[in-house]
Structures are given as structure tokens and as C-alpha cells.
């Protein structure tokens, strides 16, 4: 925590007290109805609220027991400490009792010995509070006391009434008896007594002469001591000091003699201790310390020091020696210092006409502690000042003698709202009773703090507040008026106001961006629940920072500029300003979707809209534009917040669900559910200087800080993560009212009447940071901006995610070169060395246009490795290099990647080494599949839980491969030739094999392996597979050998029948349904196949077994790829599932299997639901960022110009839609940290060259070939053939081909270049 603003101290004489208890300095003060206990300048121990009582009047702490007494009206509360031995010091209520005759402004508290508490009002009462409160003495007074204090040995009480010139001294006559008695005497003064102070004894157990210091309105300090112990009076006047005459400045002004005087005492114990501490510090310094030597000589005489200062910065100090002696010597009172530029009082106090200030001084117990001075300003704040004693009394000029360690102030009521300006350098905190404080950000020696600059209190209710940027003005929106406030002074002044009328309830107050040509003019707008609004023009005087700057208005004013109607008829919930998140409010050049958002609206149906506006000073109107619309599907949202960098956080109706959306793309980035006890109450955005988002989610007593992370499409990692959790339960019991970010990255939290300012440094030992596995543990703290930059930003080229995306993008040569360069550098790398993010490679190598060459021929291209001069340097990543590099990765931590990422890097290297053996035999798509298949298998071995297998992305690569036979062999060999169905499902083999004959052969291998997987060889395990292959006789033979199975006889007898007979089909169906009842689903599917009912068998696999791959494989094996059941399965289940989940890889695969290659291309870009003729409601998963994998653009580019049918599908995509797709993919690459791939995409992408004007082609699959534009005109660069796969426009009539020989099988012959297009019918 950087700073604490515990609340506004009461303007009472006993509002603050301090003591040293068990080697801990405690400072206690009252603020409103809160009791605040602190253990240091930034150590808030506890806040105790008295909810059912009025404001507190006084507080006192017992130095012996640590008990705290406070009172409110007629009620006295006593708290006792506990938990000190467990280092969890807190206070709990011990006693509560009522005092009948306590007035509102007349209550005094003071602790004596043996837990005795003196309560002063119109009666002095003494209570014993050991077990229970017991009244042991009372005395009725003529006037209510203003102050009553025990002496430190508790033998005397000094009391005075308000505006009284007599101090009454009560002398205790008996201790420890039931009969407590006091006698009294008076100390007369010539004028009203304003203050009293008892001299502190050296040791509480040691008897010392009591001395009383009194201060009067005649500016004199009187010192009372027992000079005649046998006299009638307890005290006699020992001496007096004239404070007006004490300060004689060198340059006497006309008002210096009459300026205010302030006094505080330094007890001889604190003075001596402060001198000793200063000696220790000065011993290590080379300079001579004459002042310290002089003060050390004075300290040897055990003096009390009386310090007198004025509001001009002058200070005079008097040493009082031998106080209380019968005879006073000439040297008993001596002036020890006269100092100028003494900064114990702030400029606000010195400028005030009537300043009321109270001082409390002490020296801490720690050897490093200096003298501390607590300054209680009665206008509502407390300063903690520190200095060495010799620096305080050094007469030589000094700029800052006292260093401010803390400033405690704030509200005296519960904080309701905190509003910042656009830059985050100023904010307003507002309470429920319309009190507001204006704060500004201030840079200190180590960080940022906020200081209170102004305050206002209004009788009219404040609906909304706007802090104008770059000015000291605040706008408040009321029910029927709007007011402009000047907050330059300590007390705010209303500069202007005007009334208004609007239809509906005003929901927000927005500051609009203004043109640069209008200095001093600002515009604010309100928007109502009916989306109607008013704009006001404000005249704000601007400070002249440069002579050449444009002159603005010299006076303040506000007028209605105009009204507007956005014209949307919808169930609007709320409109709120966009959180600037550290950005500036820049005027828009054009009113388009690229302009900065200024407002966010959301409806009951969960539709989010962001708005921008532009003030047109020429036409005197304001133009509005919707920049984005996001349909979230979340009904009745309770809370929302948007940032200027296009992020929106939304909370559900129950307030326990958080979603984060990208408004630019409409994608869901984060979805988290909390417990029902954790209700979200606040959302606040911030950002790093690199525009990376940070979100603070506020609950009742804690705040969780989230930050964005790089997108991860390989491991499907989270896009947001929690990096810090702030819990305020130990500091205050009051729930969080509001919070906001400062522009510097500090978080301000308001709870009760207190403000907590948290530093942007995060402890690296925190569990949330440890879970991130990032290299920050060398330091105890890390800056939040640096931490977010580590989790975002560009990746090094050797990062596993970057290499994976390069592999998907077809940049295999760059990946090979990166791995070889990394291996070369790590040969001479030591732990702690720095590593170039590019491995000395050029960034241009990664953004070069990729030639369309086969993967087998790519090995012969060695030009990219010409930089290597060593003859023995490997040119490719073979198994030897992979083994060598992985040995280094197992020993050396590589910079900029975590240990988990380093394991993934080793997996990629191993997969590249294995894939290199088969590089000549595999095409590019097969290599993509093989690398990710091997990587997935390796990760399954490294984790204790099972992985789901490869994704539909890898299946989509493999189905477009022309090396499937080799892939089948490699996958089978990976499982040692014992492939079971679970292995086939993990590899997706039966989804991507296109040769049905090879598919059935491999399915039979699965059947044999399933039969032999156990020693008992159960035919039930393989029944489904042999039934799908229609090999009932093989299964019958296996049952004949299963003599051990009790079902052998009945099953063998059943299988011997002819199931073409309807009787036996019915018998098979009955057995299938009976098995369904016994939940033997796979065996039931086999009997459905036995009955020839493929549809039911497929449904059992898809629904009961939840195995879509098995259902598809059974349908393909049973009836081929042109079967009706397979088509129904793909159209009725697979495609709707892909649309609901937003799985574009599954959708393009399904369309490809259906022969709709045009739709297979369109499914990569267009919304899947629009390609299906049925209404579907997408789930949150469909709206997730994971549904837009950047590798989709690679497959789209590959399929787009592969055949005429895919080219036809590409022409159905509008140029604008394709442009958005490419731009969105570039953003995804950038969010993943693959900036080079984003640059490569936008630099080398080739759009289709449509005829002008563009006309969408027909959707019918039976369209004639001449409806497809000439491929030579659609693509500028051609390096491959376009296959004509369009269906014939019309089928010949039945019987037209009888008697004719079938045409010979077509063999592809490469045509002449001159007749290339003629071969395709052009």
C-alpha cells in the first residue's frame, strides 16, 4: 500500500492521541463515527465503525494497557487490545455505558492508573474498568468541562471549562481504597485558557515533580509547578513566556507582530533521545555538526523545550531547566534557537485567517527513528512530519527541515463514488450526503500520491459528476440543473449554473472531445434512458502556459449548446462514460469507427453499443456514431464498463459472473463465475503505456486485478489472468464503495470514509504471480506495467508459440533456421547471459513472401542458410541436432520464456527432428499434422491427466494432404502397430482419410486390435467394428472360440441366422434395445448394425457414447462417403454443433465431406449459422476468441484457389468481409505476440481481383461454369493449377448411354502452357 487516507479528523481537542505501547507507536483519531487506529504513517491497523451512533467526540488511549476509550454523545465505548502475541493486533469492545448529562460539545476523556478512566462533562466521573465499568468518584461542576487531563502519575487532574480563565486542579487524596477523594484549587489566568499540557516524567514508575503548562489568548505560556509544597495552592506560577515577543524576525512586516502563534513542547526524554539518535547518524557523515554539539551540551541538563512558531515560517525555541525548583536561576530559561523557513505548517494553514492547529511530538523506539511531529489541522487533516533534532534547530537556512511521511485526511461520511478525469491526474470522491473532495496526483520521492486540494458541500442531490481534463473545474449534474465548480481553492466555489429539462432519467455525464481551435471551451453531454440528450458549452479560463498559445475566455460560464435524439428504440438499461484507461481525449478528425469511444450503452437483452461523438462548431451541432455492437446473450446485465482501447467488462444479473469482450471484433475473451457470496460491485479499467488492458474487479471487501495475456490457440490458454488480489478486511470492516485508477498505475479504493492508495508494485512472492511461471522472481517486487508487458507484447522468435504459428503459416525454412541459430548460440551460453530476441537473424526473413513449393523440394533450397560458414554446421534440424539442443534446454534456463514454455520448445525441437526423416515423403499439410500430432503425444506423457487428442484443426490439415498413406503408416507405427479405437480417436485418423478402401482396411485393423487387447479376447469388444465392416461371419468365428463367455451359446446361435429375414432383423433390434436398457451402448450399436439399422447405430454412438468420431467412422465404413446416413449426421448434428460452438475447423471439414467445397471455403470467414438454413443460437463458446484461429487464414489462402468450386465459394465472400477477416487475423497475431507474422500477412496477402463493380455470384451448386470469373483475372499471381470440380450442369437422360462403351479412365496429363485455360473449358 502506497498511502492511506483514513478519513477527516474531527475538529475536536481530543480528536487525536498517541502513545508508545509494547514497543509499538500507536496513533488513534476519530473521523465521523469511525475510530481509526494506526501503527505508522502507512500502517492502518484497524478501523472501528459505530453505525448506530452520531459522530465521535473524543478519544484517549491508555499507555499502560493499550485500552482505547471514545465517546459519542452520552455513550462511552472502551476497547481492549488482543492478538499482540500472534502479531495480529486488534481491538474489541469491552464496555459500553451511558452518561446522562454529557453535552454535544463538552466531553473529555483521560486515563489514570490501574485502568481508571476519567469522563468529563457537566460532572467529573472516575470509572474503574478492569472487569466491568464501576463509578468510583464523581463531582458536579458549575460549567461543563472543555478539557480534563490526568497527570502522568495520576495524582492530579487539570480541568477547564470552555471560555474559562480558571484552571481547576484536583489533587487525589487516596489511592487503592474504596473511598476515593479529591480536593481542588484554582489557577487564575488573565484571559481565556486555550490549552493545557502535563510534563511527562522520565519513568512512569519514578516519582517526579508535576508541571503544568497552560496557554491563554494573551499569547503567553504559563508554567505552573509546586514551588511551595506546604502552601495552600497545589501549584504556583513558576514563569511565563510571551510568544509574541519570542519571535523577532529580521525583516519585520506590518502584520508580523500580530500574526498567529503556535506552541508545542518537547519533553526532555524525547529531546535527549533525539540528540542521541542524531549523534549516531552524524557519526557516519564527514561534515562538522556544530549545532549538534551545542544541543548535546544543552541536553545534558535535562531541559524541557518550548517551541514557538508563527504562520510566517519563523520558529523560536526555549530551554526550560530545573522547572519546579524553589528558586529560579537566570539560566533556567534560555533561548536555544531562532529559525526561519520552518515548514511545520502548510501553506493552507499559513494563508488562513483563523488557523486552529494541535501538535503531538514523540521519538520512536526504533534506533533509526527521528523526531516525529503530528500536526492536527482543525480544517480536517493530520500531517506526519519527521526530522532530526539538530536539523530542526539548525539556524542556517534550510529549504525543508521537516519531511512529510504521511497526510491523513478524507471524508467523515461513507464514500459513494469516485470519478477521475481523462488523464487520471485528478479525481473527485463523493459521499452519500453530497460532500465532495477534489484530489490531485502528486509525484513523491518514490511513487505517486494524491493530495486533497478542494472540498464542496451541496444541499442539492448530485446525480453525476464530471472532472474536466486539463483544468481545475468540476461539473455536477442535478435533477433539474447543472453546475460548474471552481476547485482551485481549498473551498470550492460555484462558477456557473443553468437549468435544463430532458425526457427520461439522465444516466450519465460525458465530456466530449473538442476541436483544437476552441481554447477554453469544453463540451459535456448527458444522455437519458430514452436515448435523448443535451449538450452544454462550458467557458473555462485556461492558464497561459506559453505566450503564443491561443487566448481563451477569462470568465466562467455554462449554456445549453443543443439537444439530440439517437433514435434507437430499445430496452436500455444504462449509459455510462467510457473509462479513458490512461488515454487522452483527442478530437476526432473523422466521425468513423476508428474514432475514440466516449460512451457505452447496454440493454436488458445484453446488447452492448459503444458511441463516439464530434462537436461541429460550424453547424452548431453534435454528431453521434455507433462504433461497435456486441450481442452477448447475457440477459439483464447488472454492471458494465468499457475502456478506450475497445474492451468491455460485463456482469450478469446475479452479479457473480464476469465476461470480458473485445468490442472491435465482438469476441468473448474471458468468462468466469464466482461464488454466490462474491458479488461484483465495481469495474475499473486501466492500461499500460503500450495500450495493454488492466481491469480491477471490485467485490464487497476485496479487489481482484486482471490483465490481458497473449492469445494461445495451441494450448487454448486463458486470455486474461488475475495478477493481484487486494483484501481490505484487515484494515476496515466497511465494504468498498468505489475504486478508480490513477494515470500512474496506482489504484484508489474508497471504503467507508477512507481512501486507500495502492502502489503499482506487486510482490513476486504472491501465489498469483508464481502461477504465471514468468521470469520475475529475481526481484522482490515488479512494476505492474512491466509485468503486463511480460505477459503481452512481441515474443522472441524462439518462443514455442511463435514457432508453432510459423509452422502453421508454412514458414518451415524460417523455423529450421531459428532452431539451428538457437543451438549455435546456446553452445557458448551461460546462465544469466542476455539473449537476442531475434537470435541475430533479420526480421525481414520472417516477412518474405512464401513461394508455393512442395515440401519435398523445399529441402533442396539452401540459399537461406548461406550465412553459415562452418562446414560441419547442420543445414536442417535432424534428430542429432534435436537431441543436442534438448540436452542444453534441459540444463540452461533460456531468457524470456518460462520453464513450462521451455518444455514446449523442447517438444517442438524433438518433433522437428522426427519429422525431418520423412520430409521428402510428406507434403506441407501432412507435415503440419505430423508435428502437432507428435507434440500432442509428448504432452500426454508429461501430464498426469489425459489429453483430449488432436483438434479439428489438425484433422483439417490432414484431410487436404496428398500424403495420407504415409501419415497412416507413421501414426500406426507411433502406437507400435497396436492401434485401438482410443488411439484412432486421438489421431483423428478416420476423419481425415479420404480413400474409403484404405479406411475400411484400417478399420479392420482396429477391430483385430480391439479383439486381442485383452488376454481373454472378448468378441464383444470388436463386435461394433466387424458389424460396421459387414463381416458377420468373422465375428461368428470369433464367438465359436469364446467358450469361456457365458453369452457364447445364445450369441452364436443368433448370429447363425439370416438377418435379411425380417424376423431376425426384429430379433436383432429387440436385443439392441435390451442392451440400451443395460447401458451397453457399444454392443447395442453393433446389434443395430446387425439389423441393418445404421441410423440408430450412429445415433447411439453420437448421443449415448458421446463419440462423434466413432459415429462418423461407422457411417463411412458401413455405406461409404456418399451414404444418406452420413449426410444426415453431418447436416443434422455436426454442422449445427459447429455453428453453436463456433468451430470453423469442424464446419469446413463437414462441408468438405459433403462435397460443398464452396461452403467449406466460406465457413472459414462467414458466420457458420448463415450457411445453414436453420435458426441457431450460438453459445458463449461460439463467441469466444478461440473460434477465430489465425491459422484459418492459411487454410483459406490454400483452399481459395485450389479448385473452381472453392474459388466459387471465395467469390461469394465480399471484398469488405475478406478485408475484415485479414485485418482481424493480423490483430490476432499481434495479440499473440507474433507481430512479424501479422506484418507478413498484411504485406503479402493477395485479394481476389473482382470485376468492377463487384457482384455476388449465385449460391446454387449447379451453377454453370461460366458463372465463375476467369481465375487469371481473380488472382494476380498464379503458381498452381485450378482443378475443375464443378458438377455437370445437366445429367443425361436415363438409357441414353446404352450400347456405348464406357469412356476410358482419365489420366491427368499436364497441358501446354498455351492451352492451360482451354483444358478447363475457358
Amino acid at each position: 500500500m502506497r498511502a492511506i487516507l483514513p478519513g477527516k479528523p474531527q475538529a475536536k481537542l481530543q480528536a487525536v492521541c498517541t502513545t508508545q505501547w509494547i514497543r509499538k507507536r500507536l496513533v488513534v483519531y476519530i473521523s465521523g463515527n469511525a475510530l481509526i487506529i494506526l501503527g505508522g504513517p502507512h500502517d492502518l491497523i484497524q478501523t472501528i465503525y459505530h453505525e448506530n451512533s452520531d459522530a465521535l467526540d473524543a478519544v484517549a488511549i491508555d499507555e499502560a494497557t493499550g485500552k482505547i476509550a471514545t465517546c459519542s454523545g452520552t455513550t462511552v465505548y472502551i476497547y481492549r487490545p488482543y492478538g499482540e502475541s500472534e502479531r495480529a493486533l486488534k481491538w474489541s469492545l469491552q464496555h459500553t455505558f451511558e452518561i446522562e448529562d454529557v453535552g454535544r460539545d463538552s466531553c473529555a476523556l483521560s486515563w489514570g492508573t490501574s485502568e481508571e478512566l476519567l469522563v468529563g462533562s457537566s460532572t467529573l466521573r472516575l470509572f474503574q474498568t478492569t472487569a466491568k465499568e464501576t463509578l468510583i468518584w464523581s463531582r458536579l461542576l458549575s460549567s461543563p468541562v472543555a478539557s480534563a487531563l490526568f497527570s502522568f502519575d495520576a495524582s492530579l487532574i487539570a480541568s477547564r471549562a470552555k471560555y474559562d480563565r480558571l484552571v481547576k486542579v484536583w489533587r487525589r487524596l487516596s489511592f487503592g481504597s474504596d473511598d476515593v477523594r479529591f480536593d481542588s484549587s484554582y489557577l487564575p489566568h488573565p484571559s481565556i485558557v486555550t490549552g493545557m499540557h502535563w510534563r511527562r516524567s522520565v519513568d512512569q514508575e519514578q516519582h517526579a515533580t508535576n508541571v503544568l503548562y497552560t496557554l491563554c489568548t494573551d499569547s503567553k505560556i504559563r508554567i505552573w509547578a509546586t514551588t511551595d509544597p506546604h502552601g495552600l495552592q497545589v501549584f504556583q506560577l513558576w514563569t511565563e513566556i510571551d510568544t509574541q515577543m519570542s519571535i523577532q524576525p529580521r525583516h519585520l512586516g506590518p502584520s508580523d507582530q500580530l500574526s498567529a502563534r503556535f506552541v508545542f513542547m518537547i519533553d526532555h526524554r524525547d529531546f535527549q533521545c533525539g540528540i542521541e539518535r542524531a549523534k549516531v547518524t552524524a557519526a557516519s557523515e564527514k561534515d562538522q555538526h556544530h549545532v549538534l554539539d551545542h544541543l548535546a551540551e544543552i541536553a545534558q541538563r535535562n531541559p524541557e523545550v518550548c517551541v514557538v512558531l508563527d504562520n510566517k515560517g519563523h520558529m523560536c525555541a526555549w530551554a526550560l531547566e530545573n522547572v519546579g525548583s524553589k528558586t529560579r536561576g537566570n539560566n533556567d530559561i534560555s533561548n536555544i534557537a531562532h529559525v526561519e523557513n520552518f515548514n511545520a505548517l502548510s501553506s493552507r494553514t499559513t494563508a488562513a485567517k483563523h488557523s486552529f492547529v494541535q501538535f503531538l511530538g514523540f521519538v520512536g523506539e526504533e534506533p533509526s527513528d527521528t523526531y516525529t511531529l503530528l500536526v492536527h489541522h482543525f480544517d480536517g487533516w493530520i500531517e506526519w512530519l519527521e526530522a532530526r533534532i539538530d536539523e530542526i534547530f539548525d539556524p542556517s537556512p534550510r529549504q525543508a527541515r521537516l519531511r512529510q511521511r504521511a497526510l491523513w485526511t478524507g471524508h467523515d461520511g461513507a464514500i459513494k463514488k469516485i470519478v477521475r478525469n481523462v488523464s487520471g491526474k485528478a479525481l473527485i470522491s463523493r459521499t452519500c450526503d453530497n460532500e465532495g473532495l477534489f484530489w490531485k496526483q502528486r509525484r513523491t520521492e518514490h511513487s505517486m500520491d494524491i493530495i486533497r486540494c478542494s472540498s464542496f458541500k451541496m444541499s442539492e442531490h448530485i446525480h453525476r459528476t464530471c472532472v474536466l481534463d486539463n483544468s481545475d473545474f468540476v461539473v455536477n449534474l442535478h435533477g433539474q440543473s447543472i453546475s460548474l465548480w471552481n476547485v482551485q481553492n481549498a473551498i470550492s466555489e460555484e462558477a456557473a449554473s443553468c437549468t435544463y429539462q430532458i425526457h427520461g432519467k439522465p444516466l450519465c455525464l460525458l465530456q466530449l472531445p473538442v476541436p483544437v481551435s476552441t481554447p477554453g471551451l469544453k463540451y459535456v453531454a448527458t444522455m437519458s434512458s430514452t436515448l435523448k440528450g443535451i449538450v452544454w458549452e462550458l467557458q473555462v479560463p485556461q492558464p497561459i502556459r506559453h505566450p503564443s498559445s491561443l487566448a481563451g475566455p477569462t470568465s466562467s460560464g455554462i449554456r445549453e449548446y443543443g439537444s439530440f435524439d439517437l433514435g434507437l428504440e430499445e430496452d436500455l438499461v444504462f449509459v455510462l462514460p467510457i473509462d479513458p484507461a490512461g488515454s487522452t481525449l483527442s478530437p476526432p478528425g473523422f466521425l468513423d469507427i476508428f474514432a475514440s469511444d466516449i460512451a457505452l450503452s447496454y440493454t436488458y437483452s445484453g446488447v452492448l453499443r459503444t458511441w463516439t461523438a464530434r462537436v461541429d462548431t460550424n453547424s452548431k451541432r453534435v454528431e453521434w456514431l455507433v462504433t461497435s455492437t456486441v450481442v452477448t446473450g447475457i440477459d439483464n446485465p447488472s454492471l458494465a464498463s468499457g475502456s478506450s482501447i475497445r474492451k468491455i467488462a460485463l456482469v450478469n444479473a446475479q452479479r457473480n459472473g464476469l465476461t470480458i469482450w473485445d468490442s472491435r471484433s465482438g469476441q468473448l475473451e474471458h468468462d468466469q463465475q464466482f461464488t454466490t457470496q462474491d458479488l461484483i460491485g465495481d469495474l475499473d479499467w486501466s492500461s499500460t503505456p503500450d495500450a495493454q488492458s488492466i481491469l480491477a474487479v471490485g467485490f464487497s471487501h476485496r479487489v481482484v486485478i486482471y490483465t490481458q495475456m497473449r492469445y494461445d490457440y495451441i494450448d487454448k490458454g486463458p486470455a486474461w489472468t488475475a495478477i493481484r488480489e487486494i483484501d481490505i478486511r484487515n484494515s476496515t470492516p466497511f465494504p468498498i464503495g468505489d475504486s478508480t485508477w490513477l494515470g500512474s498505475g496506482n489504484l484508489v479504493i474508497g471504503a467507508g470514509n477512507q481512501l486507500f492508495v495502492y502502489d503499482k508494485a506487486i510482490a513476486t512472492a504472491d501465489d498469483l504471480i508464481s502461477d504465471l511461471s514468468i521470469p520475475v522472481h529475481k526481484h522482490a517486487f515488479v512494476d505492474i506495467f512491466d509485468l503486463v508487458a511480460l505477459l503481452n507484447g512481441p515474443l522472441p522468435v524462439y518462443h514455442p508459440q511463435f514457432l508453432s504459428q510459423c509452422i502453421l503459416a508454412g514458414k518451415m525454412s524460417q523455423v529450421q533456421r531459428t532452431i539451428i541459430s538457437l543451438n549455435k548460440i546456446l553452445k557458448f551460453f551461460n546462465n544469466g547471459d542476455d539473449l537476442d530476441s531475434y537470435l541475430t537473424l533479420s526480421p525481414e526473413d520472417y516477412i518474405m513472401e512464401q513461394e508455393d513449393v512442395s515440401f519435398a523440394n523445399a529441402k533442396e533450397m539452401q540459399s537461406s542458410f548461406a550465412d553459415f560458414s562452418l562446414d560441419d554446421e547442420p543445414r536442417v534440424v535432424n534428430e542429432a541436432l534435436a537431441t543436442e539442443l534438448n540436452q542444453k534446454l534441459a540444463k540452461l534456463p533460456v531468457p524470456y520464456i518460462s520453464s513450462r514454455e521451455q518444455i514446449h520448445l523442447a517438444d517442438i525441437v524433438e518433433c522437428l527432428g522426427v519429422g525431418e526423416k520423412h520430409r521428402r515423403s510428406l507434403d506441407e499439410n501432412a507435415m503440419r499434422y505430423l508435428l502437432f500430432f507428435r507434440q500432442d503425444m509428448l504432452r500426454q506423457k508429461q501430464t498426469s491427466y489425459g489429453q483430449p487428442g488432436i483438434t479439428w484443426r489438425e484433422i483439417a490439415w490432414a484431410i487436404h494432404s496428398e500424403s495420407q498413406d504415409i501419415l497412416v503408416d507413421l501414426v500406426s507405427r507411433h502406437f507400435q502397430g497396436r492401434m485401438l479405437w482410443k488411439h484412432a480417436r486421438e489421431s483423428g485418423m478416420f476423419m481425415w482419410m479420404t480413400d474409403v478402401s484404405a479406411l475400411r482396411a484400417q478399420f479392420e485393423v482396429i477391430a483385430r486390435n480391439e479383439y486381442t487387447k485383452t488376454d481373454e479376447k472378448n468378441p464383444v469388444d470388436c463386435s461394433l467394428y466387424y458389424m460396421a465392416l459387414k463381416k458377420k461371419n468373422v465375428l461368428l468365428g470369433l464367438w465359436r472360440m469364446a467358450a469361456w463367455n457365458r453369452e457364447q451359446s445364445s450369441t452364436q446361435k443368433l448370429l447363425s441366422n439370416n438377418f435379411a429375414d425380417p424376423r431376425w432383423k426384429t430379433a436383432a433390434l429387440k436385443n439392441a434395445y435390451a442392451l440400451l436398457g443395460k447401458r451397453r451402448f457399444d454392443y447395442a450399436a453393433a446389434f443395430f448394425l446387425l439389423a441393418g439399422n445404421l441410423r440408430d447405430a450412429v445415433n447411439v454412438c453420437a448421443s449415448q457414447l458421446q463419440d462423434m468420431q466413432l459415429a462418423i467412422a461407422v457411417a463411412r465404413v458401413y455405406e461409404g462417403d456418399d451414404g444418406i446416413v452420413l449426410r444426415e449426421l453431418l447436416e443434422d448434428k455436426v454442422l449445427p454443433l459447429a455453428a453453436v460452438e463456433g468451430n470453423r475447423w469442424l464446419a469446413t471439414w463437414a462441408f468438405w465431406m459433403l462435397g460443398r467445397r464452396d461452403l467449406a471455403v466460406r465457413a472459414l470467414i462467414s458466420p457458420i449459422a448463415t450457411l445453414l438454413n436453420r435458426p441457431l443460437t450460438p453459445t458463449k463458446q461460439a463467441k469466444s476468441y478461440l473460434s477465430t484461429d489465425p491459422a484459418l487464414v492459411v487454410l483459406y489462402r490454400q483452399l481459395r484457389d485450389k479448385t473452381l468450386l472453392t474459388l466459387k465459394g471465395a467469390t461469394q465472400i465480399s471484398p469488405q468481409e475478406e478485408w475484415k477477416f485479414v485485418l482481424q487475423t493480423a490483430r490476432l497475431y499481434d495479440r499473440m505476440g507474433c507481430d512479424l507474422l501479422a506484418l507478413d500477412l498484411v504485406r503479402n496477402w493477395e485479394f481476389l481481383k473482382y470485376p468492377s463493380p463487384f457482384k455476388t455470384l449465385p449460391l446454387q451448386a449447379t451453377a454453370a461454369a461460366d458463372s465463375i470469373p476467369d481465375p487469371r483475372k481473380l488472382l494476380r499471381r498464379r503458381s498452381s493449377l485450378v482443378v475443375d470440380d464443378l458438377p455437370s450442369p445437366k445429367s443425361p437422360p436415363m438409357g441414353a448411354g446404352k450400347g456405348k462403351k464406357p469412356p476410358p479412365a482419365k489420366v491427368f496429363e499436364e497441358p501446354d502452357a498455351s492451352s492451360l485455360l482451354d483444358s478447363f473449358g475457358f
Side-chain angles (χ1 to χ4, degrees), residues 1221-1241:
F1221 173 63
V1222 174
L1223 200 63
Q1224 173 65 11
T1225 305
R1227 292 195 190 102
L1228 295 178
Y1229 275 134
D1230 180 70
R1231 180 67 185 273
M1232 295 172 66
C1234 305
D1235 301 62
L1236 292 177
L1237 296 182
L1239 180 59
D1240 168 71
L1241 178 65

Side-chain angles (χ1 to χ4, degrees), residues 454-521:
S454 184
S455 65
F456 60 83
K457 183 69 177 290
M458 306 186 64
S459 58
E460 191 175 2
H461 178 67
I462 302 175
H463 283 295
R464 299 288 178 264
T465 299
C466 178
V467 183
L468 300 180
D469 204 30
N470 299 321
S471 69
D472 292 326
F473 285 84
V474 174
V475 182
N476 289 322
L477 183 69
H478 312 284
Q480 296 179 344
S481 66
I482 184 171
S483 57
L484 177 66
W485 288 76
N486 186 340
V487 292
Q488 293 177 344
N489 301 320
I491 303 298
S492 304
E493 299 176 354
E494 183 176 347
S497 66
C498 71
T499 60
Y500 71 92
Q501 289 184 349
I502 191 171
H503 183 262
K505 179 183 178 182
L507 298 178
C508 63
L509 188 61
L510 311 169
Q511 183 177 357
L512 305 180
V514 295
V516 183
S517 59
T518 58
L521 294 180

Side-chain angles (χ1 to χ4, degrees), residues 704-729:
V704 181
I705 299 177
Y706 291 84
T707 180
Q708 68 177 46
M709 298 178 68
R710 300 183 186 95
Y711 285 166
D712 184 0
Y713 290 92
I714 305 300
D715 296 329
K716 296 182 180 179
W720 290 79
T721 186
I723 58 174
R724 188 178 187 182
E725 182 173 338
I726 299 172
D727 198 325
I728 66 169
R729 286 185 182 90

Side-chain angles (χ1 to χ4, degrees), residues 1271-1293:
R1272 293 175 302 180
K1273 297 179 180 179
L1274 288 176
L1275 295 169
R1276 297 176 179 83
R1277 298 183 289 248
R1278 297 293 310 143
S1279 58
S1280 62
L1281 301 178
V1282 179
V1283 178
D1284 183 3
D1285 59 349
L1286 287 175
S1288 301
K1290 185 181 293 184
S1291 300

Side-chain angles (χ1 to χ4, degrees), residues 989-1002:
M989 175 184 294
F990 292 94
M991 303 299 102
W992 50 258
M993 291 180 66
T994 55
D995 188 347
V996 178
S997 299
L999 182 81
R1000 288 175 175 143
Q1002 191 62 36

